[in-house]
Amino acid sequence: RLSRMVRCCITTLLLIASVSAAPVDDWTSRTVIYQLLTDRFALADGHADTCDTGNCPYGNYCGGTYGGIIERLDYIQDLGMNAVWISPIPANRPCGYHGYWAVDWDWTNEHFGDAADLKNLTATLHSHGMHVMVDMVANHNGPGKVPDGHPFTEQDHYHPRCTIDFSSQRSIERCWLVDLPDLNTENGFVSDYLADWVVRQVDEYGFDGIRYDTVPYVPKWHWKRVADRLAGGGRNGTYTLGEILIGNRGADYLAGYQYDAQYGPILDGLLNYPLYFALVNSFARGQSLWGLSSALQETFGTYRRPAALGNFVDNHDEGRFLQMNPSHALYMSALAVVMATTGVPIVYYGSEQGLTQDPDGSRGADNQKRQPLWRTGYNKSHPLYRFISRLARLRTQGLFDGTQRELWVLSNIYLFTRGERVLIVTSNLGDGQSLDITLPPSNVPDAFRRDGDITVCDLLLGDGQGRGEGDGCVRVANVNRDGLHVHIDGGMPQVLMVVSSTRQARRMPVLAK
Protein backbone atom coordinates (compact mmCIF):
# COMPACT_ATOMS: atom_id res chain seq x y z
CA ARG A 1 0.00 0.00 0.00
CA LEU A 2 1.03 3.62 -0.31
CA SER A 3 2.81 4.99 2.72
CA ARG A 4 0.65 7.24 4.87
CA MET A 5 2.65 10.34 3.86
CA VAL A 6 2.25 9.64 0.13
CA ARG A 7 -1.49 8.90 0.51
CA CYS A 8 -1.91 12.21 2.33
CA CYS A 9 -0.19 14.15 -0.45
CA ILE A 10 -2.22 12.42 -3.16
CA THR A 11 -5.44 13.27 -1.35
CA THR A 12 -4.39 16.92 -1.21
CA LEU A 13 -3.64 16.94 -4.93
CA LEU A 14 -7.04 15.46 -5.74
CA LEU A 15 -8.77 18.16 -3.72
CA ILE A 16 -6.82 20.89 -5.50
CA ALA A 17 -7.36 19.56 -9.05
CA SER A 18 -10.45 20.75 -10.91
CA VAL A 19 -12.31 18.24 -13.06
CA SER A 20 -14.59 19.35 -15.87
CA ALA A 21 -17.76 17.44 -16.69
CA ALA A 22 -17.26 17.98 -20.43
CA PRO A 23 -16.81 14.62 -22.23
CA VAL A 24 -13.48 15.49 -23.85
CA ASP A 25 -12.11 16.60 -20.50
CA ASP A 26 -13.12 13.23 -19.08
CA TRP A 27 -10.45 11.74 -21.34
CA THR A 28 -7.70 14.33 -21.23
CA SER A 29 -6.41 14.31 -17.65
CA ARG A 30 -7.09 11.01 -15.93
CA THR A 31 -7.93 8.45 -18.59
CA VAL A 32 -5.56 5.67 -19.66
CA ILE A 33 -6.62 3.75 -22.78
CA TYR A 34 -5.94 0.04 -23.25
CA GLN A 35 -5.81 -0.64 -26.99
CA LEU A 36 -6.63 -4.19 -27.97
CA LEU A 37 -7.52 -6.13 -31.07
CA THR A 38 -10.82 -7.83 -30.32
CA ASP A 39 -9.74 -10.98 -32.17
CA ARG A 40 -6.41 -11.27 -30.37
CA PHE A 41 -7.00 -10.26 -26.74
CA ALA A 42 -8.97 -13.05 -25.05
CA LEU A 43 -10.84 -16.28 -25.80
CA ALA A 44 -14.19 -16.62 -24.09
CA ASP A 45 -14.70 -19.71 -21.97
CA GLY A 46 -15.14 -22.74 -24.22
CA HIS A 47 -13.80 -21.04 -27.35
CA ALA A 48 -10.88 -22.51 -29.27
CA ASP A 49 -7.73 -20.91 -30.67
CA THR A 50 -8.17 -20.80 -34.46
CA CYS A 51 -5.03 -18.87 -35.43
CA ASP A 52 -3.68 -21.88 -37.30
CA THR A 53 -6.97 -22.70 -39.01
CA GLY A 54 -7.40 -21.22 -42.47
CA ASN A 55 -5.29 -19.89 -45.31
CA CYS A 56 -5.53 -16.14 -44.88
CA PRO A 57 -2.31 -14.63 -46.30
CA TYR A 58 -2.09 -11.90 -43.65
CA GLY A 59 -3.39 -13.78 -40.62
CA ASN A 60 -6.41 -15.88 -39.69
CA TYR A 61 -9.10 -15.12 -37.17
CA CYS A 62 -7.79 -16.37 -33.83
CA GLY A 63 -11.02 -16.49 -31.84
CA GLY A 64 -11.08 -13.46 -29.53
CA THR A 65 -14.55 -12.08 -28.77
CA TYR A 66 -16.45 -9.42 -26.83
CA GLY A 67 -17.23 -12.11 -24.26
CA GLY A 68 -13.52 -12.81 -23.89
CA ILE A 69 -12.89 -9.14 -23.05
CA ILE A 70 -15.53 -9.26 -20.33
CA GLU A 71 -14.06 -12.40 -18.83
CA ARG A 72 -10.64 -10.73 -18.64
CA LEU A 73 -11.87 -7.34 -17.49
CA ASP A 74 -10.21 -7.75 -14.09
CA TYR A 75 -6.86 -8.05 -15.89
CA ILE A 76 -7.43 -4.71 -17.63
CA GLN A 77 -8.69 -2.98 -14.51
CA ASP A 78 -5.89 -4.27 -12.29
CA LEU A 79 -3.46 -2.88 -14.87
CA GLY A 80 -4.93 0.52 -13.99
CA MET A 81 -6.73 1.09 -17.29
CA ASN A 82 -10.05 2.93 -17.29
CA ALA A 83 -10.84 2.92 -21.02
CA VAL A 84 -10.76 0.19 -23.67
CA TRP A 85 -10.26 0.72 -27.42
CA ILE A 86 -11.81 -2.12 -29.46
CA SER A 87 -11.56 -3.07 -33.14
CA PRO A 88 -13.98 -1.83 -35.84
CA ILE A 89 -17.35 -3.56 -35.53
CA PRO A 90 -18.89 -3.99 -39.05
CA ALA A 91 -19.04 -7.36 -40.79
CA ASN A 92 -15.77 -7.82 -42.68
CA ARG A 93 -14.60 -9.68 -45.72
CA PRO A 94 -13.00 -13.07 -45.06
CA CYS A 95 -9.66 -12.74 -43.26
CA GLY A 96 -10.53 -9.30 -41.86
CA TYR A 97 -9.64 -10.28 -38.29
CA HIS A 98 -8.51 -6.68 -37.61
CA GLY A 99 -11.87 -5.16 -38.61
CA TYR A 100 -10.62 -2.75 -41.30
CA TRP A 101 -12.13 -4.62 -44.30
CA ALA A 102 -15.83 -3.78 -44.00
CA VAL A 103 -18.29 -5.50 -46.35
CA ASP A 104 -21.62 -4.89 -44.59
CA TRP A 105 -21.89 -1.71 -42.56
CA ASP A 106 -25.28 -2.63 -41.08
CA TRP A 107 -24.16 -5.96 -39.62
CA THR A 108 -21.69 -6.69 -36.86
CA ASN A 109 -18.64 -8.90 -37.29
CA GLU A 110 -19.95 -12.30 -36.22
CA HIS A 111 -16.46 -13.49 -35.32
CA PHE A 112 -16.43 -11.02 -32.41
CA GLY A 113 -20.04 -11.57 -31.34
CA ASP A 114 -23.47 -10.24 -32.24
CA ALA A 115 -25.05 -6.87 -31.45
CA ALA A 116 -26.31 -8.12 -28.09
CA ASP A 117 -22.79 -9.23 -27.14
CA LEU A 118 -21.41 -5.81 -28.06
CA LYS A 119 -24.07 -4.04 -26.03
CA ASN A 120 -23.26 -6.32 -23.11
CA LEU A 121 -19.59 -5.36 -23.41
CA THR A 122 -20.23 -1.61 -23.38
CA ALA A 123 -22.75 -1.93 -20.55
CA THR A 124 -20.31 -4.02 -18.50
CA LEU A 125 -17.47 -1.56 -19.00
CA HIS A 126 -19.72 1.35 -18.09
CA SER A 127 -20.87 -0.45 -14.95
CA HIS A 128 -17.20 -0.60 -13.93
CA GLY A 129 -16.72 3.13 -14.54
CA MET A 130 -14.77 2.61 -17.76
CA HIS A 131 -14.99 4.34 -21.14
CA VAL A 132 -15.33 2.48 -24.45
CA MET A 133 -13.56 3.67 -27.60
CA VAL A 134 -14.39 2.07 -30.95
CA ASP A 135 -12.24 2.09 -34.06
CA MET A 136 -14.03 3.36 -37.19
CA VAL A 137 -13.12 3.56 -40.89
CA ALA A 138 -14.62 6.00 -43.40
CA ASN A 139 -12.09 5.80 -46.22
CA HIS A 140 -12.62 2.38 -47.75
CA ASN A 141 -14.31 -0.98 -47.92
CA GLY A 142 -12.47 -4.28 -47.69
CA PRO A 143 -10.59 -5.57 -50.74
CA GLY A 144 -12.77 -7.01 -53.49
CA LYS A 145 -14.68 -6.19 -56.61
CA VAL A 146 -16.37 -2.81 -57.12
CA PRO A 147 -19.21 -2.17 -56.62
CA ASP A 148 -19.78 -4.55 -53.76
CA GLY A 149 -20.55 -4.32 -50.08
CA HIS A 150 -23.67 -3.08 -48.36
CA PRO A 151 -24.85 -0.33 -48.69
CA PHE A 152 -22.34 0.91 -51.27
CA THR A 153 -23.64 -1.01 -54.27
CA GLU A 154 -23.26 1.54 -57.06
CA GLN A 155 -20.19 2.30 -59.14
CA ASP A 156 -20.29 5.99 -58.28
CA HIS A 157 -20.11 5.12 -54.59
CA TYR A 158 -16.39 4.59 -55.19
CA HIS A 159 -13.57 6.66 -56.60
CA PRO A 160 -11.99 5.28 -59.79
CA ARG A 161 -8.95 3.18 -59.00
CA CYS A 162 -5.68 5.13 -59.09
CA THR A 163 -2.30 5.16 -57.37
CA ILE A 164 -1.84 7.78 -54.66
CA ASP A 165 0.51 10.67 -55.36
CA PHE A 166 1.43 11.63 -51.80
CA SER A 167 2.54 15.08 -52.90
CA SER A 168 -1.11 15.89 -53.76
CA GLN A 169 -3.80 16.13 -51.06
CA ARG A 170 -6.48 15.65 -53.72
CA SER A 171 -4.82 12.39 -54.77
CA ILE A 172 -4.56 11.25 -51.14
CA GLU A 173 -8.30 11.78 -50.74
CA ARG A 174 -9.42 10.24 -54.06
CA CYS A 175 -7.06 7.40 -54.92
CA TRP A 176 -6.89 3.94 -53.43
CA LEU A 177 -4.82 3.02 -50.38
CA VAL A 178 -3.17 -0.19 -51.63
CA ASP A 179 -6.02 -2.43 -52.88
CA LEU A 180 -8.82 -0.99 -50.73
CA PRO A 181 -11.85 0.35 -52.68
CA ASP A 182 -11.93 4.07 -51.92
CA LEU A 183 -15.34 5.39 -50.86
CA ASN A 184 -16.48 8.47 -52.76
CA THR A 185 -17.40 10.91 -50.01
CA GLU A 186 -18.17 13.53 -52.68
CA ASN A 187 -21.23 11.40 -53.44
CA GLY A 188 -24.12 12.69 -51.33
CA PHE A 189 -25.43 9.23 -50.42
CA VAL A 190 -22.02 8.01 -49.32
CA SER A 191 -21.23 11.05 -47.17
CA ASP A 192 -24.70 11.13 -45.59
CA TYR A 193 -24.65 7.41 -44.86
CA LEU A 194 -21.19 7.47 -43.30
CA ALA A 195 -21.97 10.49 -41.11
CA ASP A 196 -25.31 9.08 -39.97
CA TRP A 197 -23.76 5.64 -39.42
CA VAL A 198 -21.28 7.05 -36.90
CA VAL A 199 -24.07 8.69 -34.93
CA ARG A 200 -26.18 5.51 -35.01
CA GLN A 201 -23.36 3.42 -33.58
CA VAL A 202 -22.77 5.89 -30.76
CA ASP A 203 -26.48 6.00 -29.95
CA GLU A 204 -27.05 2.25 -30.21
CA TYR A 205 -24.00 0.96 -28.37
CA GLY A 206 -23.11 3.87 -26.09
CA PHE A 207 -19.55 4.43 -27.25
CA ASP A 208 -17.72 7.18 -25.37
CA GLY A 209 -14.92 7.70 -27.85
CA ILE A 210 -14.03 7.05 -31.48
CA ARG A 211 -10.66 6.41 -33.05
CA TYR A 212 -10.89 7.28 -36.75
CA ASP A 213 -8.68 5.33 -39.13
CA THR A 214 -6.91 6.86 -42.20
CA VAL A 215 -8.12 10.39 -41.46
CA PRO A 216 -6.27 12.40 -44.18
CA TYR A 217 -7.59 10.11 -46.91
CA VAL A 218 -11.04 11.63 -46.32
CA PRO A 219 -11.76 15.36 -46.88
CA LYS A 220 -11.82 17.64 -43.86
CA TRP A 221 -15.31 18.85 -44.68
CA HIS A 222 -16.60 15.30 -44.18
CA TRP A 223 -15.01 15.02 -40.74
CA LYS A 224 -16.49 18.39 -39.83
CA ARG A 225 -19.88 17.14 -40.96
CA VAL A 226 -19.60 14.09 -38.72
CA ALA A 227 -18.50 16.24 -35.78
CA ASP A 228 -21.52 18.51 -36.20
CA ARG A 229 -23.91 15.56 -36.26
CA LEU A 230 -22.33 14.00 -33.21
CA ALA A 231 -22.76 17.30 -31.38
CA GLY A 232 -26.51 17.36 -32.10
CA GLY A 233 -29.44 15.37 -30.80
CA GLY A 234 -28.94 16.25 -27.14
CA ARG A 235 -25.71 14.22 -26.90
CA ASN A 236 -23.07 15.19 -24.38
CA GLY A 237 -20.34 14.76 -26.97
CA THR A 238 -18.03 11.94 -27.99
CA TYR A 239 -14.23 12.11 -27.84
CA THR A 240 -12.77 11.74 -31.34
CA LEU A 241 -9.16 10.72 -31.99
CA GLY A 242 -7.77 10.60 -35.53
CA GLU A 243 -4.98 8.56 -37.10
CA ILE A 244 -2.69 10.35 -39.55
CA LEU A 245 0.18 8.16 -40.67
CA ILE A 246 1.77 9.59 -43.80
CA GLY A 247 5.51 9.97 -44.24
CA ASN A 248 7.15 13.40 -44.11
CA ARG A 249 4.15 15.06 -42.47
CA GLY A 250 4.90 17.04 -39.34
CA ALA A 251 2.82 18.30 -36.46
CA ASP A 252 1.50 21.26 -38.46
CA TYR A 253 -0.15 18.88 -40.95
CA LEU A 254 -1.73 16.85 -38.14
CA ALA A 255 -2.84 19.98 -36.29
CA GLY A 256 -4.90 21.01 -39.31
CA TYR A 257 -7.27 18.14 -38.55
CA GLN A 258 -7.78 19.30 -34.99
CA TYR A 259 -8.52 22.85 -36.08
CA ASP A 260 -8.73 24.24 -39.61
CA ALA A 261 -8.91 27.91 -40.57
CA GLN A 262 -11.79 27.22 -42.97
CA TYR A 263 -13.80 24.64 -41.03
CA GLY A 264 -12.92 25.46 -37.42
CA PRO A 265 -12.71 22.61 -34.86
CA ILE A 266 -12.78 19.19 -36.53
CA LEU A 267 -11.44 16.32 -34.38
CA ASP A 268 -10.76 16.53 -30.66
CA GLY A 269 -7.33 14.98 -30.98
CA LEU A 270 -4.86 13.07 -33.14
CA LEU A 271 -2.56 10.18 -32.44
CA ASN A 272 0.72 11.94 -31.72
CA TYR A 273 2.91 10.22 -34.29
CA PRO A 274 5.66 12.89 -34.23
CA LEU A 275 6.07 12.22 -30.50
CA TYR A 276 6.00 8.46 -31.10
CA PHE A 277 8.88 8.64 -33.56
CA ALA A 278 10.84 10.84 -31.14
CA LEU A 279 10.30 8.33 -28.32
CA VAL A 280 11.48 5.45 -30.48
CA ASN A 281 14.51 7.37 -31.71
CA SER A 282 15.53 8.59 -28.27
CA PHE A 283 14.92 5.46 -26.21
CA ALA A 284 14.94 2.44 -28.55
CA ARG A 285 17.57 3.70 -31.00
CA GLY A 286 19.79 5.60 -28.59
CA GLN A 287 19.57 9.00 -30.24
CA SER A 288 19.85 12.19 -28.22
CA LEU A 289 17.00 13.07 -25.88
CA TRP A 290 17.13 16.56 -27.35
CA GLY A 291 15.01 14.99 -30.10
CA LEU A 292 12.33 14.19 -27.55
CA SER A 293 12.58 17.72 -26.20
CA SER A 294 12.09 19.16 -29.68
CA ALA A 295 9.06 16.94 -30.35
CA LEU A 296 7.41 18.01 -27.10
CA GLN A 297 8.09 21.69 -27.76
CA GLU A 298 6.60 21.28 -31.24
CA THR A 299 3.55 19.61 -29.72
CA PHE A 300 2.92 22.46 -27.29
CA GLY A 301 3.59 25.12 -29.91
CA THR A 302 1.51 23.68 -32.75
CA TYR A 303 -1.73 22.13 -31.48
CA ARG A 304 -4.63 24.10 -30.07
CA ARG A 305 -5.26 21.40 -27.49
CA PRO A 306 -2.25 19.17 -26.79
CA ALA A 307 -4.09 17.53 -23.90
CA ALA A 308 -6.46 15.81 -26.37
CA LEU A 309 -3.68 14.09 -28.33
CA GLY A 310 -3.15 10.35 -28.01
CA ASN A 311 0.35 9.39 -26.79
CA PHE A 312 1.80 5.91 -27.32
CA VAL A 313 5.00 3.96 -27.85
CA ASP A 314 3.47 0.77 -29.34
CA ASN A 315 0.45 0.07 -31.53
CA HIS A 316 -0.90 -2.43 -34.06
CA ASP A 317 0.71 -0.71 -37.06
CA GLU A 318 4.24 -0.22 -35.75
CA GLY A 319 6.86 -2.67 -34.58
CA ARG A 320 6.82 -3.28 -30.85
CA PHE A 321 9.40 -1.33 -28.86
CA LEU A 322 10.96 -4.41 -27.32
CA GLN A 323 11.52 -5.90 -30.76
CA MET A 324 13.62 -2.85 -31.61
CA ASN A 325 15.43 -2.82 -28.26
CA PRO A 326 15.03 -5.48 -25.54
CA SER A 327 15.99 -3.16 -22.66
CA HIS A 328 13.24 -2.97 -20.05
CA ALA A 329 14.81 0.12 -18.49
CA LEU A 330 14.61 1.99 -21.80
CA TYR A 331 11.06 0.76 -22.39
CA MET A 332 10.01 1.86 -18.92
CA SER A 333 11.48 5.32 -19.51
CA ALA A 334 9.51 5.66 -22.75
CA LEU A 335 6.35 4.46 -21.00
CA ALA A 336 6.92 6.96 -18.20
CA VAL A 337 6.95 9.80 -20.73
CA VAL A 338 3.81 8.46 -22.42
CA MET A 339 1.96 8.19 -19.12
CA ALA A 340 3.13 11.43 -17.51
CA THR A 341 3.23 13.88 -20.39
CA THR A 342 0.33 16.06 -21.53
CA GLY A 343 -2.11 14.07 -23.65
CA VAL A 344 -4.10 10.83 -23.38
CA PRO A 345 -1.83 7.80 -22.76
CA ILE A 346 -2.50 4.63 -24.74
CA VAL A 347 -1.12 1.20 -23.80
CA TYR A 348 -1.12 -1.46 -26.52
CA TYR A 349 -2.21 -4.89 -25.35
CA GLY A 350 0.69 -7.22 -24.58
CA SER A 351 3.06 -4.40 -23.67
CA GLU A 352 2.53 -5.33 -20.04
CA GLN A 353 3.76 -8.86 -20.80
CA GLY A 354 6.85 -7.73 -22.67
CA LEU A 355 5.68 -8.92 -26.08
CA THR A 356 8.07 -8.46 -28.98
CA GLN A 357 6.71 -10.09 -32.12
CA ASP A 358 5.80 -13.52 -33.40
CA PRO A 359 8.90 -15.06 -35.01
CA ASP A 360 6.72 -16.56 -37.75
CA GLY A 361 6.66 -13.93 -40.49
CA SER A 362 4.88 -16.08 -43.06
CA ARG A 363 1.63 -14.11 -42.71
CA GLY A 364 3.14 -10.65 -42.87
CA ALA A 365 4.64 -8.08 -40.53
CA ASP A 366 1.29 -6.76 -39.26
CA ASN A 367 0.25 -10.20 -38.05
CA GLN A 368 3.56 -10.57 -36.20
CA LYS A 369 2.85 -7.64 -33.89
CA ARG A 370 -0.74 -8.71 -33.20
CA GLN A 371 -0.15 -11.93 -31.31
CA PRO A 372 -2.98 -13.66 -29.42
CA LEU A 373 -2.36 -12.67 -25.81
CA TRP A 374 -3.66 -15.96 -24.40
CA ARG A 375 -0.62 -17.76 -25.85
CA THR A 376 1.61 -15.60 -23.64
CA GLY A 377 -0.74 -15.48 -20.66
CA TYR A 378 -2.15 -12.87 -18.29
CA ASN A 379 0.59 -12.69 -15.67
CA LYS A 380 -0.20 -9.92 -13.21
CA SER A 381 3.18 -10.40 -11.54
CA HIS A 382 5.17 -9.57 -14.65
CA PRO A 383 7.50 -6.63 -13.87
CA LEU A 384 6.10 -4.62 -16.79
CA TYR A 385 2.53 -5.29 -15.71
CA ARG A 386 3.34 -4.03 -12.23
CA PHE A 387 5.25 -1.03 -13.55
CA ILE A 388 2.50 0.05 -15.95
CA SER A 389 -0.08 -0.46 -13.21
CA ARG A 390 1.80 1.93 -10.90
CA LEU A 391 2.15 4.55 -13.60
CA ALA A 392 -1.49 4.24 -14.62
CA ARG A 393 -2.72 4.68 -11.07
CA LEU A 394 -0.60 7.78 -10.62
CA ARG A 395 -2.20 9.10 -13.79
CA THR A 396 -5.79 8.29 -12.87
CA GLN A 397 -5.32 9.64 -9.33
CA GLY A 398 -4.31 13.03 -10.69
CA LEU A 399 -0.59 13.21 -9.95
CA PHE A 400 0.14 14.08 -13.57
CA ASP A 401 -2.38 16.92 -13.72
CA GLY A 402 -1.13 20.45 -14.14
CA THR A 403 1.13 22.39 -16.47
CA GLN A 404 4.10 20.52 -17.91
CA ARG A 405 7.54 22.12 -17.70
CA GLU A 406 10.82 20.83 -19.05
CA LEU A 407 13.51 21.02 -16.36
CA TRP A 408 16.72 19.45 -17.59
CA VAL A 409 17.87 17.98 -20.92
CA LEU A 410 21.12 16.28 -21.85
CA SER A 411 21.76 13.83 -24.64
CA ASN A 412 20.98 10.98 -22.23
CA ILE A 413 18.75 12.64 -19.60
CA TYR A 414 15.26 14.14 -19.76
CA LEU A 415 13.52 15.55 -16.68
CA PHE A 416 10.18 17.33 -16.49
CA THR A 417 7.47 18.22 -14.02
CA ARG A 418 3.67 18.28 -13.99
CA GLY A 419 2.05 20.98 -11.90
CA GLU A 420 5.35 21.63 -10.04
CA ARG A 421 4.48 18.79 -7.64
CA VAL A 422 6.15 15.71 -9.13
CA LEU A 423 9.48 15.32 -10.91
CA ILE A 424 9.65 12.74 -13.71
CA VAL A 425 13.17 11.45 -14.35
CA THR A 426 13.94 9.52 -17.56
CA SER A 427 17.13 8.54 -19.37
CA ASN A 428 18.35 6.45 -22.27
CA LEU A 429 21.22 5.01 -20.27
CA GLY A 430 19.86 1.48 -20.54
CA ASP A 431 19.85 -1.58 -18.29
CA GLY A 432 22.35 -1.56 -15.43
CA GLN A 433 23.64 1.95 -16.08
CA SER A 434 23.69 4.60 -13.35
CA LEU A 435 24.29 8.33 -13.21
CA ASP A 436 24.28 11.15 -10.65
CA ILE A 437 23.18 14.67 -11.51
CA THR A 438 22.42 17.80 -9.52
CA LEU A 439 19.67 20.11 -10.63
CA PRO A 440 20.33 23.77 -9.84
CA PRO A 441 17.63 25.42 -7.71
CA SER A 442 16.16 27.26 -10.71
CA ASN A 443 15.50 23.90 -12.42
CA VAL A 444 13.81 22.25 -9.46
CA PRO A 445 9.98 22.01 -9.18
CA ASP A 446 8.44 24.54 -6.83
CA ALA A 447 7.32 21.92 -4.29
CA PHE A 448 10.94 20.79 -3.82
CA ARG A 449 12.43 24.25 -3.25
CA ARG A 450 12.64 24.44 0.52
CA ASP A 451 15.31 25.83 2.83
CA GLY A 452 14.98 23.07 5.38
CA ASP A 453 14.88 19.29 5.15
CA ILE A 454 12.40 17.54 2.89
CA THR A 455 11.53 13.90 2.30
CA VAL A 456 11.44 12.84 -1.35
CA CYS A 457 9.86 9.53 -2.41
CA ASP A 458 10.09 7.66 -5.70
CA LEU A 459 6.54 6.50 -6.36
CA LEU A 460 7.72 3.82 -8.79
CA LEU A 461 10.05 2.06 -6.40
CA GLY A 462 8.85 -1.20 -4.96
CA ASP A 463 8.72 -4.95 -5.04
CA GLY A 464 9.20 -6.54 -8.45
CA GLN A 465 11.21 -3.74 -10.02
CA GLY A 466 14.69 -5.13 -9.33
CA ARG A 467 15.80 -1.89 -7.71
CA GLY A 468 16.85 -3.04 -4.28
CA GLU A 469 15.04 -2.69 -1.00
CA GLY A 470 14.21 0.20 1.24
CA ASP A 471 11.33 2.58 1.61
CA GLY A 472 11.92 4.53 -1.62
CA CYS A 473 12.31 7.77 0.32
CA VAL A 474 15.33 9.94 1.14
CA ARG A 475 15.93 13.04 3.24
CA VAL A 476 17.23 16.05 1.33
CA ALA A 477 18.48 19.32 2.83
CA ASN A 478 18.58 22.89 1.55
CA VAL A 479 17.36 22.29 -2.01
CA ASN A 480 16.64 26.00 -2.37
CA ARG A 481 20.35 26.70 -1.83
CA ASP A 482 22.20 23.62 -3.11
CA GLY A 483 19.85 22.21 -5.75
CA LEU A 484 18.50 18.66 -5.92
CA HIS A 485 20.74 15.62 -6.25
CA VAL A 486 19.21 12.84 -8.36
CA HIS A 487 20.68 9.34 -8.55
CA ILE A 488 19.54 7.32 -11.59
CA ASP A 489 19.95 3.66 -10.66
CA GLY A 490 20.13 0.98 -13.35
CA GLY A 491 18.77 3.32 -16.02
CA MET A 492 15.31 3.19 -14.43
CA PRO A 493 12.82 6.08 -14.57
CA GLN A 494 11.57 7.77 -11.42
CA VAL A 495 8.54 9.75 -10.32
CA LEU A 496 9.68 11.85 -7.36
CA MET A 497 7.38 13.66 -4.97
CA VAL A 498 7.89 15.59 -1.75
CA VAL A 499 5.83 14.15 1.09
CA SER A 500 4.26 16.33 3.73
CA SER A 501 5.96 14.88 6.82
CA THR A 502 9.66 14.87 7.61
CA ARG A 503 9.39 11.50 9.35
CA GLN A 504 11.25 8.72 7.59
CA ALA A 505 8.78 6.58 5.62
CA ARG A 506 8.57 3.08 7.05
CA ARG A 507 7.18 1.36 3.97
CA MET A 508 7.74 1.53 0.24
CA PRO A 509 5.33 3.87 -1.52
CA VAL A 510 3.92 1.08 -3.67
CA LEU A 511 0.46 1.43 -5.12
CA ALA A 512 -1.93 -1.22 -3.88
CA LYS A 513 -4.81 -2.66 -5.85
Side-chain angles (χ1 to χ4, degrees):
R1 296 183 180 278
L2 282 170
S3 70
R4 182 174 299 176
M5 288 185 291
V6 175
R7 286 201 307 270
C8 176
C9 289
I10 290 176
T11 301
T12 302
L13 287 173
L14 292 175
L15 291 173
I16 293 172
S18 61
V19 180
S20 170
V24 176
D25 289 343
D26 286 348
W27 292 80
T28 55
S29 65
R30 300 184 183 180
T31 295
V32 184
I33 300 173
Y34 189 71
Q35 180 201 355
L36 58 82
L37 267 68
T38 304
D39 180 62
R40 302 295 171 89
F41 174 67
L43 294 172
D45 187 36
H47 287 227
D49 182 325
T50 60
C51 290
D52 299 323
T53 303
N55 298 301
C56 295
Y58 304 114
N60 300 310
Y61 279 98
C62 287
T65 62
Y66 301 132
I69 298 171
I70 292 174
E71 290 179 18
R72 291 289 180 179
L73 187 56
D74 68 308
Y75 174 85
I76 299 174
Q77 283 195 294
D78 288 349
L79 186 60
M81 307 292 108
N82 55 12
V84 177
W85 160 2
I86 64 172
S87 301
I89 64 175
N92 265 228
R93 294 197 183 280
C95 303
Y97 71 87
H98 39 65
Y100 297 109
W101 291 354
V103 67
D104 189 338
W105 292 71
D106 287 332
W107 200 254
T108 56
N109 191 328
E110 63 183 10
H111 293 274
F112 303 159
D114 59 22
D117 295 325
L118 179 54
K119 290 177 181 177
N120 188 31
L121 173 64
T122 57
T124 301
L125 288 167
H126 288 158
S127 71
H128 286 78
M130 302 177 74
H131 291 322
V132 187
M133 171 174 280
V134 65
D135 212 326
M136 290 186 176
V137 184
N139 177 64
H140 55 261
N141 263 3
K145 64 181 182 179
V146 173
D148 188 24
H150 176 78
F152 307 116
T153 57
E154 303 295 331
Q155 191 71 40
D156 63 357
H157 292 166
Y158 301 86
H159 288 128
R161 183 166 188 156
C162 55
T163 301
I164 296 176
D165 172 6
F166 282 97
S167 67
S168 166
Q169 186 61 38
R170 178 182 174 88
S171 177
I172 291 171
E173 294 172 2
R174 298 197 177 205
C175 290
W176 289 27
L177 182 62
V178 291
D179 294 323
L180 301 172
D182 200 76
L183 293 171
N184 179 12
T185 43
E186 290 76 28
N187 178 284
F189 170 78
V190 173
S191 182
D192 281 339
Y193 179 87
L194 290 173
D196 290 339
W197 182 85
V198 170
V199 173
R200 288 201 309 273
Q201 307 317 300
V202 170
D203 289 347
E204 182 170 359
Y205 297 107
F207 296 123
D208 308 289
I210 302 169
R211 181 267 190 183
Y212 288 127
D213 186 67
T214 53
V215 163
Y217 298 88
V218 178
K220 288 181 181 179
W221 60 259
H222 174 79
W223 296 121
K224 178 62 174 176
R225 195 176 193 189
V226 177
D228 290 343
R229 295 196 184 187
L230 276 173
R235 296 176 197 84
N236 266 340
T238 305
Y239 174 55
T240 55
L241 184 67
E243 178 220 32
I244 299 178
L245 181 54
I246 298 180
N248 300 317
R249 296 298 199 282
D252 55 344
Y253 182 82
L254 276 69
Y257 287 85
Q258 188 181 48
Y259 183 91
D260 179 82
Q262 180 178 354
Y263 300 110
I266 302 177
L267 302 178
D268 293 320
L270 292 309
L271 291 170
N272 196 343
Y273 264 100
L275 179 59
Y276 161 77
F277 290 119
L279 288 167
V280 167
N281 288 337
S282 292
F283 292 110
R285 295 176 179 148
Q287 296 180 17
S288 172
L289 281 162
W290 280 106
L292 173 62
S293 173
S294 295
L296 286 168
Q297 296 308 313
E298 183 181 47
T299 293
F300 298 131
T302 305
Y303 297 93
R304 289 213 168 195
R305 192 168 191 182
L309 303 179
N311 298 329
F312 61 97
V313 73
D314 294 288
N315 70 19
H316 62 300
D317 289 324
E318 304 296 333
R320 289 186 181 268
F321 183 102
L322 291 174
Q323 182 65 28
M324 294 181 267
N325 191 315
S327 166
H328 278 202
L330 291 172
Y331 191 35
M332 289 176 174
S333 282
L335 287 167
V337 174
V338 166
M339 203 72 73
T341 200
T342 301
V344 183
I346 302 168
V347 176
Y348 183 42
Y349 85 100
S351 298
E352 70 282 358
Q353 297 299 331
L355 289 188
T356 54
Q357 68 180 36
D358 192 325
D360 179 9
S362 63
R363 298 191 188 277
D366 281 345
N367 192 60
Q368 286 182 280
K369 53 200 150 200
R370 303 170 182 177
Q371 306 99 308
L373 188 55
W374 54 85
R375 290 186 174 182
T376 298
Y378 305 88
N379 179 12
K380 295 183 182 180
S381 296
H382 193 289
L384 284 171
Y385 185 99
R386 295 173 66 87
F387 176 79
I388 292 172
S389 174
R390 287 179 175 87
L391 272 176
R393 284 182 166 78
L394 293 177
R395 177 83 186 197
T396 58
Q397 291 172 346
L399 266 77
F400 300 139
D401 288 353
T403 301
Q404 182 165 335
R405 183 166 69 95
E406 182 176 279
L407 296 178
W408 198 253
V409 188
L410 298 173
S411 63
N412 56 359
I413 301 293
Y414 189 81
L415 281 69
F416 65 102
T417 184
R418 294 298 305 272
E420 300 296 326
R421 298 177 182 280
V422 291
L423 171 62
I424 299 96
V425 179
T426 68
S427 76
N428 61 6
L429 297 171
D431 294 342
Q433 302 300 308
S434 298
L435 183 70
D436 290 278
I437 60 172
T438 298
L439 292 179
S442 60
N443 293 85
V444 173
D446 291 347
F448 292 69
R449 295 173 63 178
R450 312 262 182 94
D451 291 322
D453 291 358
I454 60 173
T455 301
V456 178
C457 295
D458 179 3
L459 302 184
L460 298 181
L461 196 59
D463 182 43
Q465 300 306 309
R467 300 176 60 183
E469 296 189 3
D471 57 21
C473 299
V474 296
R475 292 285 295 277
V476 181
N478 300 317
V479 172
N480 208 28
R481 183 192 68 193
D482 302 329
L484 179 67
H485 176 78
V486 176
H487 174 68
I488 299 174
D489 184 18
M492 298 292 285
Q494 302 171 42
V495 176
L496 304 178
M497 183 176 75
V498 177
V499 298
S500 58
S501 172
T502 57
R503 289 186 302 114
Q504 180 69 32
R506 297 291 183 183
R507 298 180 59 84
M508 295 181 185
V510 177
L511 290 167
K513 295 177 183 178

